[in-house]
């Protein structure tokens, strides 16, 4: 191969990936046609991901990546001279290999290693929450009822306590609500409440709330035109695989719903790397896989490229895999029948090269080597080439704690999301109504949310015991809301969800393709 410049992006708008016989590039005009990076552990997927992120950043394209092992945080720091990197640059003919650093924003759902990332319960929506908690059909139905009533009554579900209070209200007033919404048993609601406790213990209480993360903050560029690389610390998050997968699904759906149609731009508006992609599809129902396929298929016209990173190409369903035009295949080991099937499946996704047999080369690739096929300017897959991936310009390895702290303090998001906000929402509104009801009419019967939760979680709040002041408030919350709902059933028939909320809330609760709330 002849000499190539050391730039990550050439004058024709192509990202330099690597080379051997021929230099390999990714055309920015086709980068929104999505991609797949696969290979066994230790074959070089993370370095390839970093090379792509550096190239997109230099091209002015913002990038979102999940950092499973912590290694990708080093992209914010200039690389250091290493013999094996220099040798690789010489092997692929890079004339001016130089080290560099890239603008980065650290993010963390738990707020420990980056800026907190939060979403409200209303924004997440019932479909993704049901997936997150692995609910049955009956439980998902009850959850949908909770969202429907909250939407119609203009009560935002911002955090977990809002949803817990709404579910308790539904269980207490099941007989009143049945004629309109269908049967809801206390046992069903109790099962959901227990799942919510587990979610809270996994850190869900830190993720759900406000200030909610704004999608526009993923699409920042520097003054000199380089794209910011948003790095989500996912080492701890990976301990809760469903939370990890559901968060990324929510983020993808938010992008899909919020961004305008742009067709095929000269370069993407944003590139989204989904590492450990198998977690998205493990045990996912067909309906959810269909929704993901729909989002992936349509989001490219909004200028977003989605790149799945996983070990086995079979981890990605065929309907989704068919949408991925740019492919990087690192080595796969084929000792078992399933592994051999994966190798054959990977080979069949490439345009054949008469110079070698693809299925044989996949198992013989060295660390840092990959089979590469990208879309050309006309959208046609290039002939597969055996490629040595270019060395990254930034550091290979994680930031130190002090370096990460400095990155957080000097980030463009510093101070925006660091302090949680707990404004009036469903929980507070129900409390206020209950307090108002207490001043109008003394309670005539025992019972309420406190008893119901006590019977589920064993807190000892039984109906045979005197009620505390807090339990009386909880009981009257549900009665007041139930009476109001019963009195307004006829008036509400025929009204839209958004219309029923009136002007008291600044945005309509309209559900998107994955059940998330559309912001207006």
């Amino acid at each position: 191969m002849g000499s190539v410049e050391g730039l990550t992006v050439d004058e024709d708008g192509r990202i330099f990936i690597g080379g051997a016989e021929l230099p390999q590039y990714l055309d920015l005009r086709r980068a929104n046609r999505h991609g797949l990076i696969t290979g066994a552990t230790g074959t070089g997927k993370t370095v390839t991901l970093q090379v792509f992120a550096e190239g997109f950043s230099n091209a002015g394209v913002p990038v979102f990546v999940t950092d499973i092992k912590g290694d990708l945080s080093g992209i914010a720091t200039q690389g250091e001279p290493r013999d094996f990197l220099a040798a690789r640059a010489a092997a692929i003919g890079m004339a001016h290999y130089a080290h560099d650093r890239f603008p980065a924003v650290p993010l963390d759902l738990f707020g420990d290693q980056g800026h907190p990332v939060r979403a409200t319960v209303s924004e997440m929506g019932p479909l993704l929450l049901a997936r997150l908690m692995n609910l049955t059909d009956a439980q998902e139905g009850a959850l949908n009822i909770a969202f429907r009533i909250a939407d119609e009554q203009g009560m935002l579900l911002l955090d977990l306590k809002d949803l817990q209070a709404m579910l308790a209200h539904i269980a207490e007033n099941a007989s009143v609500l049945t004629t309109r919404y269908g049967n809801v048993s206390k046992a069903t609601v109790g099962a959901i409440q227990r799942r919510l406790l587990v979610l809270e213990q996994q850190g869900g209480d830190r993720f759900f709330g406000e200030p909610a993360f704004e999608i526009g903050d993923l699409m920042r560029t520097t003054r000199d035109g380089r794209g910011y690389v948003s790095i989500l610390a996912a080492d701890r998050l990976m301990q809760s695989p469903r939370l990890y997968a559901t968060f990324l699904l929510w983020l993808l759906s938010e992008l899909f719903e919020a961004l305008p149609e742009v067709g095929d731009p000269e370069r993407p508006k944003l590139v989204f790397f989904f590492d450990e992609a198998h977690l998205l599809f493990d045990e996912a129902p067909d309906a959810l896989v269909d929704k993901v396929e729909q989002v992936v298929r349509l989001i490219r016209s909004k200028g977003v490229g989605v790149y799945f990173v996983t070990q086995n190409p079979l981890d990605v369903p065929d309907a989704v895999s068919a949408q991925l035009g740019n492919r990087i295949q690192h080595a796969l080991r084929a000792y078992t029948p399933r592994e051999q099937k994966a190798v054959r499946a990977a080979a069949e996704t490439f345009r054949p090269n008469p110079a070698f047999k693809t299925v044989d080369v996949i198992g013989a690739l060295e660390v840092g080597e990959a089979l590469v096929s990208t879309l050309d300017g006309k959208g046609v897959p290039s002939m597969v080439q055996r490629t040595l991936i270019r060395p990254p310009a930034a550091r290979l390895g994680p930031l130190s704690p002090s370096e990460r702290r400095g990155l957080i303090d000097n980030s463009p998001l510093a101070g925006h999301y660091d302090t949680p906000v707990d404004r009036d929402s469903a929980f507070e509104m129900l409390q206020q109504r209950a307090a108002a009801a207490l001043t109008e009419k003394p309670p005539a019967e025992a019972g309420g949310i406190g008893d119901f939760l006590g019977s589920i979680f064993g807190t000892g709040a039984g109906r045979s015991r005197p009620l505390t002041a807090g339990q009386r408030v909880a009981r009257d919350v549900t009665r007041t809301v139930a009476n109001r709902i019963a009195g307004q059933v006829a008036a509400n028939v025929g009204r839209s969800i958004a219309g029923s909320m009136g002007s008291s809330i600044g945005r309509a609760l309209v559900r998107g393709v994955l059940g998330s709330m559309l912001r207006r």
Side-chain angles (χ1 to χ4, degrees), residues 37-52 69 72 88 309 328-331 333 365-370 389-390 392 396:
I37 302 173
T38 57
T41 300
T43 57
K45 296 191 303 296
T46 301
V47 173
T48 298
L49 199 164
Q50 181 169 332
V51 165
F52 270 69
K69 298 178 292 185
L72 287 172
R88 183 181 296 190
V309 185
I328 310 293
Q329 177 65 63
H330 288 274
R333 311 307 175 207
L365 294 169
E366 301 289 339
V367 174
E369 278 191 307
I389 302 299
R390 64 155 291 165
L396 277 176

Side-chain angles (χ1 to χ4, degrees), residues 75-137:
I75 200 172
T77 301
Q78 186 163 310
E80 303 162 351
R82 294 190 181 183
D83 292 342
F84 77 94
L85 295 178
R88 183 181 296 190
I92 60 176
M94 290 184 68
H96 303 289
Y97 173 54
H99 299 289
D100 199 358
R101 58 183 297 176
F102 298 83
V105 175
L107 303 174
D108 184 2
L109 258 66
F110 305 107
D112 297 327
Q113 301 183 69
H115 302 295
V117 180
R118 301 183 187 89
T120 67
V121 171
S122 288
E123 288 173 338
M124 180 67 70
L127 177 62
L128 291 180
L129 272 175
R131 158 70 169 157
L132 173 59
M133 295 187 287
N134 197 26
L135 300 184
T136 65
D137 290 343

Side-chain angles (χ1 to χ4, degrees), residues 166-504:
M166 182 58 67
L167 286 167
H169 152 65
I170 289 173
E172 186 68 20
N173 296 277
S175 60
V176 178
L177 303 175
T178 293
T179 55
R180 182 173 184 186
Y181 300 102
N183 292 326
V184 179
S185 71
K186 289 186 177 182
T188 298
V189 174
I192 301 174
Q193 296 279 32
R194 288 190 290 271
R195 297 292 178 88
L196 286 173
L197 285 182
V198 173
L199 177 59
E200 186 174 358
Q201 293 170 353
Q202 292 177 342
D205 57 329
R206 299 177 69 178
F207 171 55
F208 289 106
E210 289 189 313
F213 191 78
E214 296 289 340
I215 292 299
D217 284 330
L218 293 179
M219 307 180 73
R220 291 175 175 266
T221 56
T222 62
R223 292 182 179 179
D224 60 357
R226 297 207 295 176
Y228 271 98
V229 181
S230 298
I231 307 170
L232 178 71
D235 47 352
R236 179 183 169 190
L237 183 59
M238 282 295 295
Q239 298 174 17
S240 305
R242 282 188 177 271
L243 181 57
Y244 171 76
T246 304
F247 163 72
L248 293 178
L249 267 177
W250 166 77
L251 196 60
L252 195 60
S253 69
E254 286 284 293
L255 289 167
F256 175 77
E257 303 292 354
L259 298 179
E261 295 279 343
V262 295
D264 284 321
E266 288 297 310
R267 60 187 182 187
K269 301 295 183 183
L270 175 71
V271 172
F272 185 101
F273 287 94
F274 195 147
D275 203 356
E276 299 294 342
H278 66 279
L279 296 175
L280 175 60
F281 304 106
D282 282 352
E283 301 178 2
D286 292 341
L288 181 59
V289 174
D290 290 343
K291 293 292 186 183
V292 174
E293 186 272 331
Q294 180 184 1
V295 170
V296 172
R297 174 165 45 86
L298 298 177
I299 202 171
R300 73 169 185 84
S301 64
K302 303 197 173 191
V304 177
V306 180
Y307 288 71
F308 295 96
V309 185
T310 188
Q311 293 187 26
N312 193 327
L314 296 179
D315 292 337
V316 181
D318 291 342
V320 177
S321 181
Q323 310 298 323
L324 312 179
N326 301 295
R327 294 176 177 266
I328 310 293
Q329 177 65 63
H330 288 274
L332 287 174
R333 311 307 175 207
Y335 302 113
T336 68
R338 187 177 188 276
E339 291 171 340
Q340 292 166 3
K341 180 181 178 182
V343 170
R344 290 193 298 271
E348 291 171 356
T349 63
F350 288 102
R351 179 180 168 186
N353 187 330
F356 56 83
K357 194 173 182 180
T358 305
V359 70
D360 293 336
V361 172
I362 289 177
L365 294 169
E366 301 289 339
V367 174
E369 278 191 307
L371 292 177
V372 175
S373 176
T374 61
L375 299 179
D376 64 20
K378 297 181 179 180
V380 177
S382 64
M383 186 182 299
V384 63
Q385 296 289 344
R386 185 170 182 171
T387 303
L388 184 61
I389 302 299
R390 64 155 291 165
R395 176 192 292 177
L396 277 176
L399 295 177
S400 67
S402 61
E403 289 173 327
R404 185 181 289 273
R405 184 71 257 169
L407 187 63
I408 295 172
D409 293 341
N410 293 287
S411 148
L413 301 186
H416 288 212
Y417 299 106
D418 298 336
T419 304
V421 176
D422 187 12
R423 63 186 173 110
D424 284 355
S425 49
F427 180 81
E428 289 77 14
M429 292 175 70
L430 293 174
Q431 281 188 323
Q432 291 166 10
R433 292 179 185 181
L438 284 175
T439 63
E440 295 174 2
K441 182 178 179 180
E445 302 176 7
I449 294 176
D451 296 330
F452 173 63
L453 294 178
S455 67
I456 294 173
F457 302 117
T459 57
R463 290 185 181 277
S464 61
R465 300 182 182 182
L467 298 178
T468 66
Q471 289 169 344
R472 287 197 300 272
V473 171
R475 173 199 60 198
D476 288 285
V477 166
T478 58
R479 286 188 183 154
T480 302
V481 177
N483 290 336
R484 179 174 178 180
I485 292 174
Q488 292 184 347
V489 165
N492 284 339
V493 172
R495 294 182 184 178
S496 67
I497 294 175
S500 68
M501 292 176 59
S503 59
S504 62

Side-chain angles (χ1 to χ4, degrees), residues 62-74:
V63 177
F64 175 87
V65 298
T66 54
D67 191 7
I68 303 296
K69 298 178 292 185
D71 294 346
L72 287 172
S73 61

